[in-house]
Amino acid sequence: MLYALCSMRVLCMESFFCSNCSRFYPLQPSRWRCDCGSFLDLKFESKFPIQKILKRRPDLWRYREAIPIRSNTSILSMNEGFTPLEEIEFDGNRTLMKIDYLFPTGSYKDRGATVLMSKMKEWGVQKVVEDSSGNAGSAIAAYCARAGIECEIYVPQHTSSEKVVQIQAYGAALKKVQGSRERTAEVTMEAASKIPYASHCWNPFFLHGTKTFAFEVWEQMGWKAPDVLVLPIGHGTLFLGVYMGFRELKEAGMIKRIPRLVGVQSAFCAPLYQAFKKGWRETRPIDKEETVAEGIAISEPVRGRQILEATQEVDGEILTVTEKEIGMALMEMGRRGHFIEPTSAATIAGLKKYLRKKRRQETIVSTLTGAGLKSVGKML
Ligand SMILES: Cc1ncc(COP(=O)(O)O)c(C=O)c1O
Ligand SMILES: [Zn+2]
């Protein structure tokens, strides 16, 4: 259908497209959303040459034919990815845990940053802006530092001081914004009218990095997909990346079906849970309270419609967890040797909730997305 709108297939392969109004745009660093206001996607045909993949280094760039960067010389890499998939038992249930806090900047956001910033380098961009609850900003700042690209990172005033220090350590210009996370996004969008916006939620190249989570799980499970994945959702960049990765594997004939996806939100900020329960196509305004899970405190997710569609398509669901459950999961993981940040603990609280009500025997994958050292002050 989307291809039919193009006169040339090649043009579509090299374009941003809008799933809301079917417009296409040439790939350009200044283009971060559609004129209709919606987010954009990128059509790209991934290939999975297993024999070649097996010969490469254990990092996420081993899936080179599935990552939309034209030239190898543009790749900005710190050998990130191919994180361990560790077996952990919860209340008698075997689960497989992707240890994604082991990325260079301490969170899974490096998956998206390595690809998005490689594209910015390929475009010859000299400076970018980004807004974040802290981790995406740290990741973008680190890859900018590697490339010698200047960056301004906007964060809400109350962001964990560890993340603020980390962003500055990479040499980024830090901009603290009074008010909510949404206010931070508004201020950044103004700056993005002049400077390319390396946005983890708007720019689809970021999702073409987070999707490598799916490829790694597929390879680490012996070229098989699990039945279910339990993942956090703030803006949903990991959730959507994983959906996209498994969809690409299915389209390439590598797996039979896309696994079910279970999203986890904080009960204090759960726009997608609300929309999913009510069967809405889009999220609607919510009453939000402050949660310790700062990374998922997103009341207006940019790609809300896309997350809801993906959840429906895979027969998935969205759960919420309380502050108390997050605290208990954080302590439990510490006792198991994993010091994670509260946002990351929210996923584990959701996983435990899912395990309590699951009825069938299934292979379940989840993840530890962020390191505990990023949020010590808040934990104290
Ligand atoms: C540690 C951690 N986990 C999960 C998330 C949620 O990611 P997303 O907003 O892409 O859903 C974030 C986002 O900042 C995070 O920092
Ligand atoms: Zn549009």
Side-chain angles (χ1 to χ4, degrees):
M1 156 77 173
L2 284 165
Y3 283 129
L5 293 165
C6 283
S7 51
M8 274 194 312
R9 187 179 157 94
V10 172
L11 180 69
C12 298
M13 300 296 285
E14 293 292 317
S15 309
F16 286 133
F17 74 89
C18 173
S19 55
N20 188 46
C21 71
S22 304
R23 278 197 188 90
F24 285 81
Y25 299 94
L27 293 185
Q28 278 169 353
S30 55
R31 168 62 65 185
W32 57 272
R33 72 172 158 193
C34 181
D35 291 344
C36 79
S38 176
F39 56 85
L40 293 167
D41 286 305
L42 171 72
K43 197 76 188 169
F44 177 72
E45 199 179 326
S46 290
K47 302 229 162 51
F48 302 94
I50 290 181
Q51 290 315 317
K52 277 193 187 165
I53 292 171
L54 282 170
K55 287 198 192 102
R56 293 182 183 145
R57 275 207 296 243
D59 66 37
L60 63 78
W61 287 95
R62 68 202 266 108
Y63 310 105
R64 180 68 186 92
E65 293 78 4
I67 301 179
I69 300 296
R70 284 192 169 180
S71 162
N72 283 348
T73 56
S74 309
I75 295 175
L76 273 177
S77 173
M78 295 194 252
N79 298 349
E80 56 290 293
F82 214 75
T83 54
L85 184 66
E86 183 189 319
E87 196 173 317
I88 302 188
E89 206 179 288
F90 289 100
D91 313 318
N93 297 285
R94 177 181 172 266
T95 64
L96 294 166
M97 195 64 68
K98 200 85 173 111
I99 316 297
D100 263 17
Y101 67 74
L102 290 177
F103 271 92
T105 76
S107 91
Y108 83 91
K109 302 276 187 184
D110 294 357
R111 289 188 186 277
T114 181
V115 175
L116 174 55
M117 289 316 301
S118 293
K119 192 64 204 175
M120 290 288 177
K121 184 181 165 200
E122 192 155 80
W123 273 326
V125 164
Q126 304 287 321
K127 181 172 181 180
V128 298
V129 292
E130 157 71 320
D131 56 309
S132 157
S133 60
N135 281 337
S138 298
I140 295 292
Y143 285 86
C144 279
R146 293 293 277 221
I149 294 174
E150 239 186 289
C151 70
E152 281 176 11
I153 305 289
Y154 292 74
V155 298
Q157 183 72 31
H158 50 76
T159 301
S160 284
S161 54
E162 295 82 349
K163 295 177 188 175
V164 167
V165 170
Q166 188 180 4
I167 289 167
Q168 290 172 298
Y170 296 128
L174 181 84
K175 309 276 180 186
K176 280 193 177 173
V177 180
Q178 291 288 348
S180 65
R181 172 70 181 84
E182 285 63 44
R183 180 68 198 132
T184 302
E186 280 166 23
V187 174
T188 317
M189 285 180 204
E190 280 165 34
S193 61
K194 296 193 189 73
I195 305 166
Y197 191 8
S199 172
H200 61 293
C201 34
W202 289 97
N203 197 309
F205 279 96
F206 196 89
L207 298 181
H208 282 267
T210 56
K211 73 181 181 183
T212 56
F213 183 103
F215 306 156
E216 291 176 19
V217 168
W218 166 66
E219 179 172 351
Q220 289 168 320
M221 290 186 59
W223 314 106
K224 287 195 187 81
D227 297 312
V228 188
L229 293 105
V230 180
L231 303 165
I233 309 186
H235 271 298
T237 65
L238 182 61
F239 188 90
L240 282 173
V242 169
Y243 163 76
M244 189 191 285
F246 282 113
R247 195 190 62 200
E248 288 183 2
L249 286 167
K250 182 170 173 255
E251 282 168 1
M254 297 291 167
I255 57 170
K256 289 211 176 61
R257 51 175 278 276
I258 305 174
R260 292 180 58 234
L261 300 180
V262 177
V264 183
Q265 296 220 285
S266 155
F268 278 179
C269 185
L272 286 151
Y273 170 77
Q274 171 181 272
F276 179 74
K277 279 276 154 209
K278 303 230 159 118
W280 298 335
R281 222 180 135 246
E282 297 267 8
T283 58
R284 296 186 194 170
I286 51 154
D287 292 326
K288 165 177 169 179
E289 284 181 67
E290 199 176 320
T291 166
V292 281
E294 63 184 351
I296 50 172
I298 305 293
S299 58
E300 293 167 26
V302 163
R303 294 177 179 267
R305 170 171 54 85
Q306 205 169 29
I307 296 167
L308 291 164
E309 280 169 11
T311 311
Q312 292 258 329
E313 185 193 322
V314 303
D315 187 27
E317 60 184 290
I318 300 175
L319 306 171
T320 58
V321 292
T322 64
E323 298 297 291
K324 190 172 169 206
E325 288 165 335
I326 296 171
M328 290 185 18
L330 185 90
M331 287 196 288
E332 177 174 348
M333 291 315 291
R335 299 296 182 275
R336 290 164 177 268
H338 287 291
F339 184 41
I340 54 173
E341 66 169 292
T343 306
S344 193
T347 314
I348 302 310
L351 170 67
K352 288 172 72 81
K353 198 166 258 182
Y354 178 77
L355 291 172
R356 277 199 294 277
K357 64 182 189 114
K358 104 176 154 74
R359 298 220 163 70
R360 43 194 159 185
Q361 202 51 38
E362 42 191 21
T363 22
I364 303 173
V365 169
S366 189
T367 176
L368 304 179
T369 48
L373 291 172
K374 281 172 168 282
S375 225
V376 175
K378 285 207 170 159
M379 285 184 220
L380 283 172

